[in-house]
Amino acid sequence: MMKACYDNRELSWLKFNERVLEEAKDENNPLCERLSFLSIFQSNLDEFFMVRCGSLYDQMCEDPDFRENKTYMTCKEQLTAIYARVKELLRDKDDVYEDLRAELSMQGVDIVDFHTITVEEANWLEAYFKAEIEPLLSPQIIGKKQPFPFLQNKSIYAVVVLEKKGTQKLGIVPCSSGVFPKIVSLPTGKNRFILAEELILHFVPEIFSRHTIKSKSLIRIIRNADIEPDERMEEECDYREAMEQLIRERRKLCPIKLEFSRLMDTAVIRTLCDYLHLTEEQVFYSEAPLNLSVLSTVRDMLRHNKCLFYQRRVPQEPDWRNTNKTMMEQVEEKDRFLTFPYESIRPFLTLLHEAGNDPQVVSIKMTLYRVASNSKIVEALIEAAENGKDVVVLVELRARFDEENNIEWSRRLEDAGCRIIYGLDNLKVHSKLCLITKKENNEISYITQVGTGNYNEKTSAIYTDYSLMTANHEIGLEANRVFHALCLGQTVEHTEHLLVAPKCLQNKLADMIDEQTALAQNHQPAYIGIKINSLTDKYLIEKLIEASKAGVKIEMIIRGISCLIAGVPGETDNISIRSIVGRFLEHTRIYIFGAHDNCHVYISSADWMTRNTRRRVEVAAPIYDEEIKHRILEMFDIMMSDNVKARVQQPDGSYIHAEESEPLINSQEYFYAQAYERLEKAQASSSIELES
């Protein structure tokens, strides 16, 4: 029997994306930032269909009776519920788009159509179409000698119903070729433009001039992207080649969703569904543009107006940074801690460069999951290898949608002399772990870095993440054991300090939850604080429910999916769950066990999802430095007090904005202001010391 405190994973994710859409709707956000949230809502939804709906569809075909283990819905039931909810969200999206479009017009930027242009503009567009676009188009009429074409994932096509001598056929025109601009600026106004696909659709009668146009629409399909390399692929070619083959195959997977922008006859939709092997419930109508990424161009038009954007914020140097000492010296003195995006990633980059040039450093080992397209971190590793260091890099080629970038970096690292590992069989390596090994006077020492986010300079400025750098010898030894196991294609079996999935994370988390449960049963203070992106691991959820029933106070900050529902009488009374969706993507993972004055604190790369706890290599690091521990606890408390960007989960699984009260606390803005203040105080203190 399903408990009332469980939510379906996919439907919970849709609630998260609804919170993103709310940010696009929120008039307290600057206009251009609202455009970004609307675009993010769509790109999130695209990936959701490509991965999650694709996975459910495949599973439904393989085993129609399979039920997930929380709400016991079949794949078919989940997909039906998803499709219905998405159609509601798309109506909300269309309303938000129209509101934003009207506000843009007030700022002098007009996204026009043929109902809102002048005669002069119409004449200019016709001439432009004939001269600049029509020669580049590849129209097609579907027939016996021209079969239905392959439609590219996320590309836009104009579809028309043609009639000639009483016979109807379909015509298709690609609108996303990349050889002409996505938007066309009108010469009669500085910031008046029309989308290229709208221009093509309007002049489609010119393209099919020998036919009568009965109806027309723009369409866009989303294809299944749920594919992994199988054993056959890996046996027939090397692993990197297998991943390249996988990328080619992914582009050809079956459609999972059809979007259209004009109302069409039901018979036409059925015909398209037949060609694409879709059901009508997989068809979605949108009044807003089918590709909202063009809104980035609109943002660029308004860059001059700073009021339409968030206040500029620059990642700050940490207040502990001493430019008179090397980073390696500072880490060896004391554990060091960085909070992104509030503090800069530069100290870690400096650490890597120093290690690559230090004669006492013998090796650098690192796991890479997602890196920037122009990665300074990879450049530092290449520099170290060229300096004769033993550089071992595990490049996870299965980082979804980053495979091509990772393949290219793996080649460059290999060419520079780095030793490359491509991960483990059936286990993705998602950990953020770096180990610098030194040898001085026959003594081995380590500097270990453990992070919650990717080694990526770009995301370090827009994601909230933590980075711990420590010279703790015991942690270094365990990190070395992790890399030793990875080099042998194995995983660690036992740890004392680090929590390392798949064998030493879930069980240790469960033990720490049990310890708090036992304390509560003995009427002693008991507390659990968790900040993660997603919660789906049923084993850990059951442990949390047991703890709640025993009286443990449990506070959780979960950005996205939560299959646990808080506040359900008799089950989760002592659990509270909130989600923070704001300017930066919340990405830190924090585990707190015990009352604040006597607690264990960890930071980690792992969410509490079965894929993380049982099917990936993940690392959580203990925080032993009391100053850093205090800072993390303080930040957690501030996030729990956020009453501007936080939503609080209700006992029915819905989310409402946290109740506003004075003082208003936007945790992300609070931490940025704090980073500025900490650095200013440190600089002022340094100036006083110099003067004295």
Side-chain angles (χ1 to χ4, degrees), residues 413-512:
L413 286 162
E414 201 168 50
D415 290 344
C418 302
R419 284 196 290 148
I420 305 299
I421 311 169
Y422 295 132
L424 308 181
D425 293 342
N426 303 315
L427 290 173
K428 283 187 180 180
V429 179
H430 188 253
S431 58
K432 322 303 178 191
L433 184 65
C434 177
L435 180 67
I436 298 166
T437 304
K438 295 176 64 179
K439 185 176 182 181
E440 183 180 9
N441 299 325
N442 292 322
E443 287 191 7
I444 303 294
S445 63
Y446 302 102
I447 291 177
T448 309
Q449 184 272 342
V450 181
T452 66
N454 296 303
Y455 296 112
N456 187 314
E457 306 92 279
K458 182 179 178 181
T459 57
S460 73
I462 54 177
Y463 290 8
T464 73
D465 273 308
Y466 292 158
S467 175
L468 172 71
M469 295 167 283
T470 179
N472 181 292
H473 193 71
E474 298 301 317
I475 288 178
L477 284 172
E478 289 198 347
N480 193 43
R481 285 175 51 205
V482 172
F483 279 109
H484 183 75
L486 290 174
C487 288
L488 297 177
Q490 301 169 357
T491 56
V492 294
E493 302 280 342
H494 174 75
T495 60
E496 292 291 337
H497 301 273
L498 300 175
L499 311 181
V500 184
K503 296 178 180 177
C504 308
L505 176 70
Q506 187 196 58
N507 56 339
K508 289 178 177 287
L509 292 173
D511 289 345
M512 286 187 276

Side-chain angles (χ1 to χ4, degrees), residues 155-175:
S155 291
I156 296 175
Y157 297 83
V159 174
V160 291
V161 179
L162 307 170
E163 186 173 84
K164 186 176 182 182
K165 297 180 181 179
T167 302
Q168 288 191 352
K169 291 184 177 181
L170 279 182
I172 293 183
V173 185
C175 300

